[in-house]
Amino acid sequence: MMSRLAGPARTMSRRATWELWITLGLLVVLPMLAATDYALHIWTRMAIFLILLTGLNFIQGVAGMTSLAQAGFFGLGAYAAGIATVRHDVPPVLALALAPVLVTLVALLIGVLSMRLKEIYFTMATLGAGFVLYLLFGRMVELTGGPNGLVGIPPFSVGGVEFTEPIMKYGLAAVLAAIGAIAAHNLLVSRTGRALRAYGASEPAALAVGASPFRLRLLAFGLSGFYAGVAGALEAFDSRFVSPSTFDFMTAVLLVVALVVSGAGRMIGPILGALLLTGIEVFAADYADYEPLIMGIVFLVAVQLFPRGVAGELAARREDRRERAKRSADLAADVAVDAPTTLKAVQR
Amino acid sequence: MDTGLFIQVILSGLSVGAIYALVAVGFGVVFNATGAINFVQGEYVMVGGLSAGMLYEAWDVPVLVAILVAIALTTLLGVLTEMGLLGFGRLRTPASITIATIAIAVVVKGAAMLISNRDTFALPSLLGPGSLQVLGASTSRQTLLNLLLAVLAVAALTLFFQRTKLGTTLRAAASDSETLQTFGVSYRTTARWAFAIAAAVGALAGAGLAPLTVMSFDSGTLLGLKGFAAAMLGGLGNPRGALAGGLMLGVAEAVMSGYGAAAYADVVAFVVLLAILTLRPTGMLGTSRAVRT
Amino acid sequence: MRKKIPTLLTCSALLALSACGLGSSGSDGGSDDTITIGTLFSVSGSGANLGDKMRKGAALAVKQVNADGGIDGRTIDWVFYDPAGDTSTAVQQTNRMLDSDGVELVVGGGGSSGIALAMDPITSSRGVAFIATEGARQIVEPAEDHPLTFKTTFNDTVMVEKLIEFWQANDITRVAFMPDTSSFGQSAQEELERLAPEAGIEVSTAAFDPAANDLTPQVKRLAGNDPQAYLAWTITPAGVTFLKNVRSVLGDDVMVMHGFGFVDERYMTQAGAASKGTLLVSPKLPVWDEIDKSDEQQPVMEDFAAAYADEYDGEQPNVYAGQAYDAMMVAVEALRATGGDPDGEKVADAIEALGTHVGVTGAFKFTADDHSGLSVDDVAVIRWDGSRFMPAK
Amino acid sequence: MSGTEGLVVEGLTVRYGRVEVVHGIDFAARPGQVTCLVGNNGAGKTTTIRGILGLQPSRARQVTFQGRSLSGVPTHAIARHGIALVPEGRRVFADLTVLENLRMGAVRRNGGWHDEVTLGEVYDLFPELRDRSASKAGLLSGGQQQMLAMGRAMMARPDMLVLDEPSMGLSPVLVNRIYEALVALRGAGYTILLSEQNANLALDLADHAYILETGRVVEDGVAADLADSARVQAIYLGA
């Protein structure tokens, strides 16, 4: 079992490193392509989505379970940072550090309760958790400002320098997104990461490398919460306004779909998904009345076309091609020499 | 203790719970056939109620005819849902089918928004406008009808599943759909029937709900999610469980509205969903289906 | 390396798409013959119905102004986006309007107070005037913190004052209040709980979810305090359920009231017999044909109703259409006063100097301290008599 | 390997995910005969059967039944060509009663739902099932479930009966019981394809046999002749 895993694991690591470089490269190149204030807002948003999706990728792509709680965690991070700075005058730097910790704790708590459930039941438990968070954002008026939202969030600042310029906001989000991507990559190629991936592929394989599936999944879920917490705090300092509508059921679904159709479980998935989400936001704005209909159709077509994700689908096609080539070689050998021993030799 | 309030809370819970029960039944039927959670279920309720309302208000169709046509239309939508999900032969796992149902729900809602021109539509109660007085509390006559509908629908479906060839086939599909295929029954046939039944029951819920409030393109989504919580509460896939779960959830919400923090009433369904999944995921009346790994 | 090519291709395709999306929208507004006005209304998502009515009202105003030769010969170039009820989308779209579409003045705040509150800091920081069409008074109060932001809707304070005035005139001291849990209901709840006790009115409150399908537990619970009037505050269909439930639980004699968000003939008709006799605090628009001809607002409302019906296949305008129409017209009046200069401060000064702008919703008197401009005099208590709205006695 | 009768398989390759399990095997099941695939656990017997029935993605130069190609045909349509499966592990419909399970076997056959004649034949062959006809199938013992699975397949009145490891997990007494039933079915003229690890029993019953090792046919011939083969002895000892 070990030996069979080792080979693919090594190529997977090489591929992951390559995809990490693409991700980091895009974070640098994108603002060079378009650097107007508006474009920088969009790239900032993309970087925030990248962090969210990198986090979601641990649970969706690696552990192989769908979580609909990511929007709720995102909101929890945003409200934690917002409430800390607005109501308790916590310095933004500290708020940015505290928000992910809080969200991680909540994620672990929900994880402990729901982690042992089978796939679809786990998904519905995360839906419940996400919805409870979303509803609480709107109901706890004293704390969150209720449905009107939380106003007056200060800009992010370090040592008296306020991050109000679009380029500075982008810089902050991009640096955190890059750190997040590098950390995710290093974790994925580590022993734990291999165990996690093995777990996503099949349970016995993970058991064979001596990992506890429960703890691995919990780790993945906790990480998804941590990343969502960072993204949430960034969102609060970027918009300087937080309201429940941003963290609703639709957001949770869009995050999952964007990741699934772009390639869950791959290092490249989150950046493709983030580009997709920002792309949708930019383009959908031009089709006011038909937007929900178009979104739904695009979303359905994408899921039907790429059930394994764009990246996964391309990989599968490559494999198919290689397979076909090998098969024609097999057939040729079969016709030429009708002996099993020779066949065996060809297949090597 | 104020008995009037108590009775009122129970009546209200049963009134809304009957609707939840019908939605929950739909979730169970599709889940049994496909293993997936059908997020279009709430939209079936919306389409059923909205199209009946549109037929009645905009085209002056008699109420009963409007309801029957609406149920037929929604059933067709159920069949179309199956085609949209499985017609391309690419979605295989329950998880991917579940995600795709969300996409279809968004399409249905977007189309309903345009077709209804964002307007609301209502239906009159089939039993007339008066209300029923019970021990100092009061409820619409439609409530009685809805309870009756929910009980009858569950009884009819139970009979259907136990006594008919098609119903037995659907139960066999729930038990082991792969083996069923080796006896010549295609997965898509059973799935299509399941979606059609779920849609018809959903439309019935919509027609029952429309006289209590008014329907708009936006009425289905949250109702669907709450109906799912009810289904989990009673045990997913079991019609009698759906009835019990629906009524329990309805009453729990009403208790929150009548005695607790009313603003938090709609949080109840999701707390119940979380609690039932973590404590007793097979539901109160559930079978021994494996839900944990 | 070769293996990566498909992935890279996908990547760069997406990239190119995004980049061209950002580039193509970079039309520069502010050319000499047009003035670019940007608007957000949620015409999809929940509340789509009222967003659509607002869009119709604003569109009518733009059409009329441009047909009359525009503003000093410059026509309005209207940019419209739909944030679908989501504030973070609205923030992006506001940035887009200001940074990329060349929008010089913003009218309409997405159709929900939360969105308008999120937009205000962005427009203000760019020095752009913003005329909102949403309810919450925090959008414009305190005025010194919002020098460039105005709104053409009633502050909840004004509505609540009118309600208290009405209750006092009718010897009502105990009121049951049912706001929904949206921003619309929450804002009203804050105001009512702040102002009613001072006026000696006892308010008992039970909130409800806008998607609720039965409100009898709340009604019955509030009935325990023996209130003399039941008031709901919502814009959603749940208001119909409220009417039906109150009548069912408490009979026909009790006083039932709704806020200005529910002034809609369609809702009233759909509630059937349960809506008869419902009292509503409202602008005068729904009863424009019943009020005294000497009222300075009367001809404005009549013209608006006629033009609206003409434009939209005989449809009658509601208060939302009126608010949006007013917001656009206030912007136009101010721009005419500045000679077409859209500079935020100049526009704001012009609005404050308009004196009285007689609009569809009321006679606006904007001042440096009051950026909402409407007063109790602009509010009417109206009554649904079973087939139409009438002024209440 | 001539003729259009029976089942003809040439160059069948079946994979589970990325792992190829069956590597291009050839065999045939002639009408009116019992054909047996013999091999150890993991030799690819079940995978082969699943591949033929379309339950597992497969490739082949040719798979025909009674002259009609089964390649690319979905499982439910293959079943309608007249092939009925008694799957590995029984796989009875646990929530259905015994009677309902039997009726499900005939669900797609004209008048099959009310076919009391075949039902009578099944009950005569397995009287235990008649006694428990109203019980939930999930409550039956392993042997009874095996009988039920066989009865269910008989209800389809198939042109060919495919049995996958019918003796697995059963006590010797019950194994004998099942094989007695198979002898009776052979006598009744059924075409049978049998996969079996219990080589001696299977070769006793079969007319023709194929020995599988790690996804390949390593030997084939008249069943009686193969019984003495060293390979078969190895399998028998392994089992």
Side-chain angles (χ1 to χ4, degrees):
Chain A
M1 199 53 96
M2 264 312 282
S3 61
R4 223 180 66 206
L5 276 173
R10 213 169 17 247
T11 48
M12 217 179 261
S13 299
R14 268 204 302 275
R15 193 166 66 187
T17 309
W18 236 99
E19 294 177 356
L20 172 68
W21 282 113
I22 296 175
T23 307
L24 297 180
L26 282 172
L27 282 173
V28 177
V29 170
L30 286 175
M32 292 178 181
L33 290 179
T36 62
D37 281 0
Y38 169 58
L40 284 169
H41 280 293
I42 295 295
W43 301 134
T44 307
R45 214 161 155 65
M46 192 217 58
I48 292 174
F49 281 134
L50 173 58
I51 299 174
L52 271 177
L53 292 179
T54 310
L56 192 61
N57 207 17
F58 287 113
I59 191 79
Q60 170 78 41
V62 184
M65 301 173 85
T66 298
S67 164
L68 289 173
Q70 193 72 347
F73 291 161
F74 182 34
L76 191 60
Y79 272 104
I83 290 168
T85 47
V86 172
R87 306 236 191 275
H88 304 288
D89 293 324
V90 173
V93 184
L94 195 58
L96 181 60
L98 284 178
V101 175
L102 175 77
V103 182
T104 309
L105 290 176
V106 172
L108 289 176
L109 177 70
I110 293 167
V112 166
L113 293 173
S114 59
M115 251 330 140
R116 290 186 199 279
L117 294 168
K118 272 182 135 177
E119 191 175 30
I120 202 89
Y121 293 94
F122 168 78
T123 302
M124 299 315 286
T126 56
L127 179 147
F131 233 101
V132 169
L133 286 171
Y134 163 72
L135 290 172
L136 290 183
F137 299 151
R139 298 295 184 275
M140 301 176 75
V141 180
E142 302 287 306
L143 194 64
T144 62
N148 270 335
L150 184 66
V151 289
I153 300 172
F156 185 75
S157 60
V158 186
V161 182
E162 289 200 338
F163 286 50
T164 45
E165 287 300 308
I167 185 74
M168 295 174 79
K169 286 185 180 179
Y170 175 73
L172 177 68
V175 165
L176 289 178
I179 294 173
I182 293 168
H185 169 262
N186 290 352
L187 195 84
L188 284 185
V189 300
S190 74
R191 194 180 146 76
T192 313
R194 281 208 303 276
L196 257 177
R197 266 198 311 237
Y199 189 73
S202 75
E203 224 168 305
L207 294 175
V209 297
S212 148
F214 177 74
R215 272 207 241 147
L216 283 174
R217 280 181 176 183
L218 195 58
L219 172 73
F221 200 52
L223 281 169
S224 78
F226 185 88
Y227 278 71
V230 175
L234 281 174
E235 161 73 20
F237 293 124
D238 181 43
S239 293
R240 296 182 55 193
F241 180 90
V242 187
S243 95
S245 60
T246 311
F247 314 108
D248 62 0
F249 175 61
M250 233 11 243
T251 308
V253 169
L254 276 178
L255 287 171
V256 168
V257 171
L259 187 60
V260 167
V261 303
S262 53
R266 301 279 301 266
M267 259 325 278
I268 198 92
I271 185 86
L272 290 182
L275 281 169
L276 186 69
L277 283 174
T278 31
I280 288 174
E281 270 196 357
V282 171
F283 284 103
D286 292 332
Y287 304 95
D289 295 84
Y290 299 91
E291 194 210 311
L293 193 60
I294 293 171
M295 280 256 293
I297 291 171
V298 168
F299 172 1
L300 181 63
V301 169
V303 174
Q304 290 281 7
L305 281 181
F306 307 111
R308 289 173 292 185
V310 175
E313 210 64 36
L314 291 171
R317 295 235 175 100
R318 270 201 309 276
E319 223 158 77
D320 270 10
R321 265 200 306 279
R322 226 176 294 151
E323 169 67 16
R324 265 198 299 277
K326 201 190 84 180
R327 265 195 69 77
S328 41
D330 283 2
L331 279 177
D334 198 11
V335 172
V337 204
D338 195 9
T341 42
T342 345
L343 259 175
K344 216 179 264 173
V346 173
Q347 270 167 352
R348 277 277 150 71
Chain B
M1 188 162 160
D2 179 352
T3 49
L5 177 56
F6 179 74
I7 303 289
Q8 189 64 57
V9 163
I10 299 299
L11 282 177
S12 163
L14 296 179
S15 167
V16 179
I19 304 294
Y20 291 160
L22 287 171
V23 182
V25 168
F27 275 107
V29 172
V30 170
F31 179 80
N32 279 345
T34 64
I37 310 298
N38 178 24
F39 279 95
V40 196
Q41 191 63 43
E43 309 307 331
Y44 296 149
V45 182
M46 177 273 288
V47 171
L50 193 67
S51 57
M54 285 179 77
L55 287 166
Y56 173 76
E57 273 195 58
W59 283 297
D60 291 327
V61 178
V63 187
L64 206 56
V65 178
I67 290 175
L68 292 176
V69 173
I71 291 175
L73 282 174
T74 315
T75 309
L76 182 67
L77 178 63
V79 174
L80 290 174
T81 312
E82 188 276 336
M83 291 165 75
L85 290 170
L86 305 174
F88 305 95
R90 296 179 62 89
L91 300 180
R92 306 222 177 265
T93 63
S96 61
I97 295 173
T98 302
I99 301 253
T101 63
I102 304 179
I104 293 183
V106 175
V107 173
V108 170
K109 197 171 164 179
M113 181 181 104
L114 296 176
I115 294 169
S116 70
N117 197 23
R118 303 176 177 83
D119 275 333
T120 53
F121 290 91
L123 275 183
S125 166
L126 279 174
L127 297 180
S131 56
L132 286 170
Q133 305 297 326
V134 188
L135 298 171
S138 154
T139 187
S140 155
R141 289 187 197 174
Q142 182 73 23
T143 298
L144 196 68
L145 184 62
N146 287 353
L147 270 174
L148 202 66
L149 277 180
V151 173
L152 282 180
V154 167
L157 276 175
T158 307
L159 274 179
F160 164 76
F161 282 123
Q162 296 298 334
R163 297 291 164 81
T164 66
K165 177 173 159 184
L166 180 59
T168 311
T169 308
L170 284 169
R171 274 194 298 136
S175 182
D176 187 340
S177 89
E178 188 179 87
T179 301
L180 186 61
Q181 289 176 55
T182 68
F183 291 100
V185 181
S186 87
Y187 174 63
R188 288 200 55 195
T189 307
T190 49
R192 191 172 308 153
W193 277 105
F195 275 99
I197 292 168
V201 177
L204 197 63
L209 180 61
L212 297 177
T213 171
V214 292
M215 305 298 286
S216 77
F217 73 94
D218 203 25
S219 303
T221 312
L222 192 63
L223 195 65
L225 295 173
K226 288 184 177 182
F228 177 77
M232 285 304 305
L233 183 60
L236 191 53
N238 172 350
R240 273 165 298 179
L243 182 62
L247 296 181
M248 278 192 281
L249 180 61
V251 171
E253 282 194 348
V255 166
M256 195 65 165
S257 297
Y259 294 107
Y264 288 83
D266 56 333
V267 184
V268 170
F270 299 98
V271 173
V272 163
L273 176 61
L274 256 182
I276 200 78
L277 274 167
T278 54
L279 301 176
R280 194 184 154 79
T282 51
M284 308 305 276
L285 278 105
T287 51
S288 54
R289 186 186 286 114
V291 294
R292 291 204 162 112
T293 54
Chain C
M1 175 65 204
R2 209 163 3 105
K3 286 187 238 163
K4 300 294 172 239
I5 288 172
T7 319
L8 277 174
L9 280 178
T10 319
C11 238
S12 38
L14 275 167
L15 193 74
L17 278 174
S18 315
C20 85
L22 296 176
S24 67
S25 49
S27 66
D28 60 332
S31 64
D32 286 345
D33 48 355
T34 61
I35 290 178
T36 312
I37 295 181
T39 296
L40 299 190
F41 289 132
S42 298
V43 297
S44 61
S46 58
N49 188 19
L50 71 99
D52 190 44
K53 296 289 189 283
M54 288 179 165
R55 178 170 61 176
K56 283 178 170 168
L60 179 62
V62 171
K63 192 174 174 184
Q64 286 181 349
V65 170
N66 283 345
D68 289 350
I71 301 157
D72 295 345
R74 293 166 68 182
T75 54
I76 298 174
D77 182 12
W78 193 36
V79 175
F80 176 87
Y81 292 121
D82 166 26
D86 176 21
T87 50
S88 86
T89 306
V91 165
Q92 290 310 310
Q93 289 170 343
T94 310
N95 281 322
R96 179 179 188 163
M97 289 196 303
L98 299 178
D99 293 340
S100 176
D101 298 342
V103 163
E104 297 157 297
L105 197 148
V106 177
V107 173
S112 97
S113 294
I115 291 179
L117 286 165
M119 290 168 69
D120 165 60
I122 304 172
T123 53
S124 297
S125 70
R126 304 288 207 295
V128 169
F130 172 33
I131 301 163
T133 50
E134 289 65 33
R137 67 185 170 86
Q138 294 90 331
I139 298 168
V140 292
E141 283 184 10
E144 65 242 34
D145 294 345
H146 304 270
L148 307 183
T149 304
F150 297 82
K151 70 186 183 74
T152 53
T153 55
F154 290 94
N155 277 340
D156 294 313
T157 320
V158 173
M159 283 293 167
V160 168
E161 279 168 4
K162 182 71 182 185
L163 278 167
I164 290 173
E165 187 185 302
F166 175 81
W167 287 329
Q168 285 176 332
N170 288 276
D171 293 325
I172 289 170
T173 55
R174 293 182 310 282
V175 176
F177 181 50
M178 291 180 58
D180 71 15
T181 52
S182 74
S183 56
F184 185 72
Q186 289 305 301
S187 301
Q189 183 177 352
E190 282 165 29
E191 292 307 296
L192 192 60
E193 288 177 350
R194 189 169 63 92
L195 296 174
E198 297 167 13
I201 289 167
E202 191 186 317
V203 178
S204 45
T205 305
F208 63 90
D209 180 70
N213 294 312
D214 189 287
L215 305 174
T216 55
Q218 284 98 323
V219 171
K220 191 78 179 174
R221 175 183 181 174
L222 292 175
N225 301 328
D226 192 27
Q228 295 151 294
Y230 290 79
L231 168 68
W233 209 270
T234 185
I235 56 175
T236 67
V240 172
T241 313
F242 165 81
L243 292 173
K244 289 184 176 181
N245 288 171
V246 174
R247 291 296 177 214
S248 152
V249 173
L250 302 167
D252 293 337
D253 300 330
V254 65
M255 181 187 285
V256 183
M257 304 187 76
H258 255 297
F260 70 109
F262 210 70
V263 183
D264 188 301
E265 279 192 23
R266 193 169 180 85
Y267 281 148
M268 290 295 144
T269 314
Q270 286 173 337
S275 61
K276 192 160 188 283
T278 302
L279 297 168
L280 306 95
V281 278
S282 164
K284 295 170 192 162
L285 177 63
V287 291
W288 65 268
D289 49 349
E290 294 293 333
I291 59 172
D292 195 17
K293 292 270 182 204
S294 64
D295 191 311
E296 56 181 350
Q297 229 187 302
Q298 207 274 344
V300 179
M301 294 191 290
E302 182 167 4
D303 289 349
F304 173 66
Y308 189 94
D310 199 36
E311 179 75 18
Y312 302 112
D313 303 327
E315 186 183 313
Q316 285 302 303
N318 68 7
V319 294
Y320 298 108
Q323 287 165 11
Y325 180 85
D326 283 342
M328 194 59 88
M329 283 308 192
V330 165
V332 168
E333 287 305 315
L335 285 170
R336 285 188 174 137
T338 64
D341 185 346
D343 176 77
E345 282 185 29
K346 288 182 187 153
V347 170
D349 289 345
I351 293 176
E352 285 166 6
L354 279 179
T356 301
H357 170 83
V358 180
V360 175
T361 312
F364 296 91
K365 298 179 193 68
F366 295 103
T367 66
D369 298 325
D370 181 2
H371 279 192
S372 120
L374 293 169
S375 69
V376 178
D377 297 339
D378 298 305
V379 188
V381 177
I382 60 172
R383 182 175 174 278
W384 177 256
D385 75 352
S387 60
R388 56 189 300 204
F389 289 114
M390 298 290 281
K393 281 154 282 193
Chain D
M1 260 182 234
S2 59
T4 55
E5 300 273 295
L7 177 74
V8 179
V9 175
E10 283 178 27
L12 178 75
T13 301
V14 194
R15 50 178 52 243
Y16 272 103
R18 301 166 66 165
V19 186
E20 191 175 292
V21 180
V22 172
H23 315 285
I25 67 170
D26 304 336
F27 72 94
R30 292 176 184 83
Q33 291 195 354
V34 176
T35 307
C36 185
L37 306 175
V38 185
N40 265 322
N41 203 3
K45 306 184 296 293
T46 297
T47 311
T48 302
I49 288 173
R50 289 179 61 84
I52 293 167
L53 290 179
L55 292 167
Q56 206 66 42
S58 67
R59 291 209 177 92
R61 275 198 302 281
Q62 185 194 353
V63 176
T64 57
F65 182 65
Q66 294 174 334
R68 288 187 294 182
S69 172
L70 302 185
S71 296
V73 180
T75 303
H76 64 92
I78 290 176
R80 289 179 215 168
H81 283 18
I83 300 178
L85 174 70
V86 181
E88 182 188 20
R90 278 77 86 174
R91 295 182 72 167
V92 296
F93 302 117
D95 293 338
L96 272 58
T97 65
V98 167
L99 181 60
E100 285 170 340
N101 263 276
L102 292 174
R103 294 216 191 280
M104 282 317 299
V107 69
R108 289 300 310 213
R109 188 155 60 79
N110 262 343
W113 194 252
H114 302 290
D115 179 0
E116 302 299 327
V117 178
T118 315
L119 188 64
E121 289 173 16
V122 172
Y123 280 157
D124 288 344
L125 190 60
F126 302 115
E128 298 90 326
L129 296 182
R130 180 182 278 132
D131 300 338
R132 303 207 57 179
S133 68
S135 305
K136 282 260 160 71
L139 301 175
L140 300 184
S141 70
Q144 289 168 334
Q145 287 192 357
Q146 186 64 49
M147 294 173 201
L148 179 55
M150 288 171 68
R152 183 176 63 182
M154 285 168 67
M155 288 296 289
R157 289 207 157 280
D159 295 330
M160 182 171 79
L161 199 54
V162 180
L163 296 104
D164 193 1
E165 303 257 20
S167 71
M168 195 171 78
L170 299 183
S171 71
V173 179
L174 279 168
V175 172
N176 281 334
R177 179 83 178 72
I178 297 295
Y179 269 82
E180 279 165 24
L182 282 174
V183 170
L185 290 176
R186 182 180 63 177
Y190 274 92
T191 302
I192 295 175
L193 175 65
L194 176 69
S195 100
E196 189 54 274
Q197 196 167 343
N198 194 332
N200 282 5
L201 263 179
L203 292 175
D204 225 26
L205 178 75
D207 297 294
H208 202 94
Y210 296 82
I211 297 173
L212 267 64
E213 265 177 27
T214 59
R216 291 188 179 77
V217 174
V218 291
E219 211 171 326
D220 79 285
V222 177
D225 299 345
L226 283 176
D228 301 327
S229 140
R231 279 206 170 91
V232 170
Q233 290 310 316
I235 291 169
Y236 186 67
L237 291 173

